[in-house]
Amino acid sequence: MKLKPRGYVLYFETLYIRFCSEYLPHECAKMSQDIPFSIEPLPEDENDRIKRDFHGYLSGAVRVQPKGYFFQGIYKDYASSYINFEVHPTDVFVATYPKSGTTWTQEMVWLLVHNLDYEGAKVILDERFPFIEADHVLDPKVFQLPEFRGKIPTECLEPGFWLSLAVKLPHPRTIKTHMPFSLLPPTLLDTCKVIYVARDPRDVVVSYYHHHRMWPTHGFDGDFKTFFRYFLKEQVMWSPFWEHLHEAWELQHHHNLLILTYEDMKKDLPAAITRVAKFLGKSLNKEQLVGLTKHLHIDSMKKNPATNAQAEADLGIMDTKEGGFVREGASGGWSKYFDDKMVKQFEEWMVKEGKGLGHEFKWLQ
């Protein structure tokens, strides 16, 4: 189902009527609850610089202590909602640091959970597999700027709208998050299954750079070297990268956690599908495995209107010149972007920060 701009608007209007009338008053009340960490604004000079280079960060930036996770200032309005999110035994979460194969894994997981319902998979992924923290990723005030005003229905800018999609999703729910485990419900792993995907951070930084330029709502129009510096300074959303990964690795033996790598998925997708299916208690025959592998091929994902964010491009809030939402899907493409100084600097960073991680992360070897 390819949504035209008007169809996209109607889709959101329907969701608003369906979910928000019940959800918003309750959820907004939860936002004021105590949280077991502190949220600290960045020094004024750093915040001024970040808002200059990322025009969409209208609320500035904060760090969540003690681990220093970096978010836009608007995060503080939702922190309590995320950590108090009610999880159920039938839920399946896909958790990643951004640009680590999230959409790819989501589509795989949704189809496995829903017994290869390819017809149902024609519904856009955001509805089938909601992103619980989307409300603080794009500040609603951005859409009041002249260049974005009227691009999406105003109802979708209500506090907690996107979180409401996850709350009211029919069970079994499939939910996407980029949050580290320490900022998610403490009962998450004891309650439901989580699939965590990691990727070579050198490829992550390249893909994340294009992602920021692809979404003009982030307001970043700088070059790769500028973004590279922000990444190493852990001043892009959901950083620090290594804390994020270490948190997952420390939980590796939990029976409800499966850790995958993007590189292993690229190397042998059928093996990755089989592993995820077993983790979810599903089985596939040879024909089904071949069909799902074909559906998940990068070329299919790029052409699929349910996964390629074409509706957002039609609305003018995504710039396809950066390669599209599903871009190249390659491993090792970072070498085209790094100069010799960058290579040395990044390798030293990886060696220092990657200590204690397993051999599964082959890019550390």
Side-chain angles (χ1 to χ4, degrees):
M1 179 178 67
K2 184 172 181 180
L3 295 175
K4 301 296 184 183
R6 177 55 186 161
Y8 197 69
V9 170
L10 289 173
Y11 156 70
F12 282 120
E13 289 174 345
T14 301
L15 289 181
Y16 180 72
I17 295 169
R18 180 177 161 195
F19 295 125
C20 295
S21 60
E22 297 180 17
Y23 172 76
L24 288 177
H26 171 70
E27 192 59 30
C28 289
K30 283 176 59 178
M31 290 177 188
S32 63
Q33 293 183 8
D34 291 337
I35 50 178
F37 43 77
S38 61
I39 303 174
E40 302 174 358
L42 267 62
E44 186 175 353
D45 59 334
E46 289 187 46
N47 243 330
D48 288 344
R49 175 173 46 79
I50 287 167
K51 287 195 288 185
R52 182 189 67 232
D53 289 342
F54 296 82
H55 309 309
Y57 289 12
L58 302 180
S59 59
V62 296
R63 285 202 183 276
V64 181
Q65 303 299 354
K67 297 191 175 182
Y69 288 108
F70 179 96
F71 297 112
Q72 293 185 59
I74 194 176
Y75 164 77
K76 66 182 181 293
D77 296 334
Y78 295 94
S80 177
S81 295
Y82 301 145
I83 205 159
N84 290 295
F85 184 84
E86 185 178 359
V87 292
H88 300 275
T90 54
D91 292 342
V92 180
F93 276 68
V94 167
T96 68
Y97 184 89
K99 312 314 295 180
S100 298
T102 319
T103 302
W104 198 18
T105 310
Q106 286 177 264
E107 185 72 354
M108 179 203 303
V109 168
W110 191 91
L111 281 161
L112 288 171
V113 168
H114 292 88
N115 302 312
L116 304 183
D117 180 8
Y118 290 106
E119 186 63 28
K122 292 179 180 179
V123 174
I124 64 172
L125 193 59
D126 283 345
E127 180 181 359
R128 295 182 279 124
F129 216 123
F131 180 23
I132 61 170
E133 64 256 32
D135 293 289
H136 86 263
V137 177
L138 296 178
D139 191 329
K141 293 180 181 177
V142 169
F143 292 96
Q144 302 306 317
L145 299 175
E147 61 267 37
F148 301 118
R149 189 177 297 128
K151 295 285 187 180
I152 64 174
T154 56
E155 294 90 346
C156 301
L157 305 179
E158 293 284 345
F161 176 82
W162 295 102
L163 185 57
S164 73
L165 302 189
V167 172
K168 295 297 183 180
L169 195 69
H171 293 258
R173 301 185 304 183
T174 49
I175 299 170
K176 163 189 169 181
T177 183
H178 291 318
M179 287 295 182
F181 283 95
S182 61
L183 303 184
L184 288 168
T187 60
L188 180 68
L189 276 181
D190 290 333
T191 305
C192 62
K193 293 186 180 295
V194 180
I195 298 166
Y196 183 93
V197 188
R199 187 183 187 185
D200 185 334
R202 293 168 295 191
D203 283 324
V204 167
V205 67
V206 170
S207 184
Y208 212 8
Y209 160 71
H210 285 290
H211 180 90
H212 275 78
R213 289 178 57 89
M214 176 179 65
W215 295 98
T217 42
H218 287 307
F220 179 79
D221 54 10
D223 60 15
F224 178 67
K225 286 189 176 182
T226 300
F227 189 83
F228 180 91
R229 289 194 295 270
Y230 274 112
F231 190 87
L232 286 189
K233 290 172 66 176
E234 297 167 346
Q235 290 186 342
V236 293
M237 284 190 288
W238 295 283
S239 289
F241 173 90
W242 296 105
E243 279 288 356
H244 202 291
L245 183 53
H246 276 288
E247 280 198 37
W249 187 245
E250 289 167 4
L251 298 167
Q252 62 177 297
H253 298 300
H254 198 291
H255 68 280
N256 271 341
L257 176 63
L258 176 65
I259 298 179
L260 303 173
T261 70
Y262 184 92
E263 291 72 26
D264 283 346
M265 290 172 66
K266 284 288 295 181
K267 182 179 179 181
D268 193 341
L269 182 56
I273 294 171
T274 301
R275 189 179 174 197
V276 173
K278 182 179 179 181
F279 176 70
L280 296 175
K282 303 287 184 176
S283 59
L284 299 176
N285 60 36
K286 184 176 180 180
E287 182 180 358
Q288 290 171 326
L289 180 59
V290 169
L292 184 52
T293 301
K294 182 178 180 181
H295 179 84
L296 294 172
H297 190 278
I298 185 65
D299 292 340
S300 297
M301 294 287 289
K302 285 176 72 71
K303 295 174 183 176
N304 184 350
T307 60
N308 66 11
Q310 184 58 48
E312 286 89 339
D314 292 343
L315 289 170
I317 58 174
M318 190 187 82
D319 188 349
T320 57
K321 292 197 296 293
E322 293 297 318
F325 187 69
V326 181
R327 208 170 57 86
E328 294 181 1
S331 293
W334 60 268
S335 60
K336 301 174 184 177
Y337 291 79
F338 285 35
D339 60 26
D340 291 343
K341 182 179 179 181
M342 288 177 168
V343 170
K344 184 175 185 297
Q345 188 176 7
F346 211 92
E347 286 182 352
E348 290 175 351
W349 186 61
M350 290 173 69
V351 169
K352 176 184 177 184
E353 301 293 342
K355 290 179 180 177
L357 292 170
H359 65 276
E360 286 85 351
F361 310 115
K362 298 179 176 61
W363 23 269
L364 284 173
Q365 299 172 12

